[in-house]
Amino acid sequence: MVIHELPLSNAPWQQVQHLLDQAFPLPPRDVFERVVQASHRTQRLWIATSPDGSDLQGLVMLSPHSKGGHLENLAVAPAARGQGVARALVERLLTDSAVDFPAMISLTTRIPDFFSALGFQVLGPLDDASIAMVQLLKPAFIPTTRS
């Protein structure tokens, strides 16, 4: 797998929409569109592709703010699940987000165990049954897996 960061303006939108349709079959189905419409102009996107670039295997977005950002829309194609794509995408986002300054990365999720294993701390539940989580990063973050 190869992971690239792309500006949203260069995203392979047809492949992105197909991946999201597969990854999020239940409502609300327009989450990605809502995030893009409400995002900062500096929205960041990482994608995982097959080595030849023909298949989009996964993506993750970051909505930056002055203290780091909010992780959005981690999605992995069903055929690529169980191959470490999600972990690799999140670790790359964390590494790239802590290059020059301490950062705080927040997220909401329905899979808190996955993110806990990557060092995120639970803040608490939200009314929509998702869990709010956060991770504080130091410069030159090096991903560690917790057992």
Side-chain angles (χ1 to χ4, degrees):
M1 127 187 44
V2 180
I3 296 179
H4 312 274
E5 180 180 0
L6 300 175
L8 283 177
S9 60
N10 293 346
W13 290 109
Q14 190 171 25
Q15 288 181 310
V16 166
Q17 189 60 55
H18 180 69
L19 170 65
L20 292 172
D21 287 344
Q22 292 178 329
F24 302 116
L26 301 175
R29 295 196 41 117
D30 66 341
V31 171
F32 185 75
E33 290 86 356
R34 285 194 253 166
V35 168
V36 170
Q37 289 174 0
S39 69
H40 304 288
R41 285 179 281 177
T42 57
Q43 189 84 15
R44 297 175 72 182
L45 172 70
W46 290 261
I47 62 170
T49 63
S50 57
D52 66 3
S54 63
D55 293 317
L56 181 61
Q57 297 176 331
L59 64 86
V60 67
M61 291 173 54
L62 182 75
S63 295
H65 55 66
S66 63
K67 304 291 186 217
H70 187 79
L71 186 153
E72 302 275 7
N73 288 311
L74 175 63
V76 175
R81 291 181 183 162
Q83 299 175 26
V85 174
R87 175 179 295 277
L89 284 164
V90 173
E91 287 179 347
R92 179 67 179 270
L93 178 150
L94 295 172
T95 300
D96 290 355
S97 296
V99 173
D100 297 318
F101 57 89
M104 174 189 77
I105 305 297
S106 61
L107 61 90
T108 60
T109 185
R110 288 184 169 80
I111 54 169
D113 291 344
F114 171 80
F115 288 102
S116 290
L118 291 168
F120 284 85
Q121 302 296 312
V122 172
L123 297 174
L126 300 176
D127 289 342
D128 68 355
S130 64
I131 305 296
M133 302 183 81
V134 68
Q135 184 171 159
L136 302 178
L137 303 175
K138 295 182 174 145
F141 169 80
I142 299 173
T144 59
T145 304
R146 297 188 332 186
S147 330

